[in-house]
Amino acid sequence: MSTSWILRCIRTYHRLLVDKPVITKSVTCGILSFTGDIMAQTIEHKYSMNNNNNNNSQSNTWRILSRIDMGRTLRFTSFGFLIFGPSAHYWYRFLDKLFPKPTTQSLLSKVLADQTLFTPVAIVSVFSYISLLEGHSSFEKVRQDFWPTLKANWALWLPAQTINFRFTPPDYRVLFVNSVALIWNVYLASASASPVSKQDSLTTSEEIV
């Protein structure tokens, strides 16, 4: 019973990928962005409570749930749904047309292009998008967190995208990315929500003056 239900879900999802690829990938990305941010906030609050030596697990669970910032979650979710999901769909289609041959050279070219062109733009976009919705300076946010985030991205996504471009059928590449991104989104949600340090803000102001 459960197996047949799973198979029906897989078939339905595949049909949606074929019939409505952009909206299907966007909704999938939004759902996983939502999940990633909830996981990130849960980890952040749990870590904070452990540092405060609060060992009441039942009480901690309710405290964590009550402290979830849904505004932050919805901002991050909307980025995945409105921006990253659609852009990733068209980007991977573009790469397949640019490097159509199933060769090692094409594989390495796709990974290199993805990690040096698309990824930096995506990181700047998410930081700028979240900062603008929060009413903060996107320049200072990007200046502070872009390079550490890009290095963390390469550690995870260079091998992940190599596997993706080598083994995953084109229609499922965004799904593969979104699945791995469930881990990445925990990091990215925390990074995009972290405040700009006062020292960086002062340094930036001095450089502008």
Side-chain angles (χ1 to χ4, degrees):
M1 182 70 178
S2 59
T3 303
S4 61
W5 180 81
I6 292 173
L7 291 175
R8 284 199 302 271
C9 288
I10 293 173
R11 286 194 293 268
T12 300
Y13 188 79
H14 178 75
R15 187 170 64 251
L16 289 171
L17 280 174
V18 174
D19 295 341
K20 300 178 180 180
V22 179
I23 187 63
T24 301
K25 294 171 186 178
S26 297
V27 170
T28 303
C29 191
I31 291 172
L32 291 173
S33 296
F34 178 91
T35 305
D37 188 71
I38 293 294
M39 290 172 63
Q41 291 196 54
T42 300
I43 293 170
E44 291 164 13
H45 293 315
K46 187 173 183 180
Y47 180 78
S48 175
M49 289 179 178
N50 287 342
N51 284 345
N52 293 331
N53 296 321
N54 191 333
N55 297 319
N56 189 329
S57 58
Q58 186 173 3
S59 175
N60 285 350
T61 300
W62 287 110
R63 287 185 180 183
I64 290 171
L65 292 175
S66 67
R67 292 180 182 180
I68 295 295
D69 182 351
M70 289 306 300
R72 163 183 154 172
T73 299
L74 292 177
R75 286 189 291 272
F76 191 67
T77 300
S78 67
F79 176 83
F81 174 71
L82 296 173
I83 298 176
F84 186 82
S87 62
H89 167 78
Y90 289 110
W91 170 248
Y92 293 138
R93 287 183 61 182
F94 170 74
L95 286 182
D96 285 336
K97 291 180 180 179
L98 190 62
F99 306 109
K101 297 180 180 180
T103 63
T104 301
Q105 183 178 354
S106 291
L107 169 64
L108 295 177
S109 297
K110 286 180 181 179
V111 174
L112 182 64
D114 183 70
Q115 292 299 301
T116 59
L117 298 176
F118 184 74
T119 294
V121 172
I123 291 172
V124 171
S125 297
V126 68
F127 285 163
S128 299
Y129 180 86
I130 299 298
S131 295
L132 290 173
L133 289 182
E134 293 176 342
H136 301 152
S137 168
S138 58
F139 175 79
E140 292 179 1
K141 178 63 180 176
V142 171
R143 182 178 180 274
Q144 173 182 287
D145 291 332
F146 172 77
W147 181 237
T149 303
L150 185 61
K151 288 190 293 183
N153 169 90
W154 284 339
L156 174 64
W157 286 106
L158 280 173
Q161 287 293 56
T162 301
I163 294 170
N164 190 23
F165 289 125
R166 176 64 180 84
F167 298 107
T168 309
D171 285 340
Y172 287 87
R173 283 180 184 155
V174 175
L175 176 61
F176 178 91
V177 167
N178 287 335
S179 300
V180 178
L182 189 58
I183 301 170
W184 172 244
N185 284 346
V186 174
Y187 175 89
L188 190 59
S190 295
S192 63
S194 64
V196 176
S197 67
K198 292 182 179 180
Q199 182 61 42
D200 282 349
S201 180
L202 288 173
T203 304
T204 303
S205 300
E206 290 171 358
E207 289 175 352
I208 294 174
V209 173

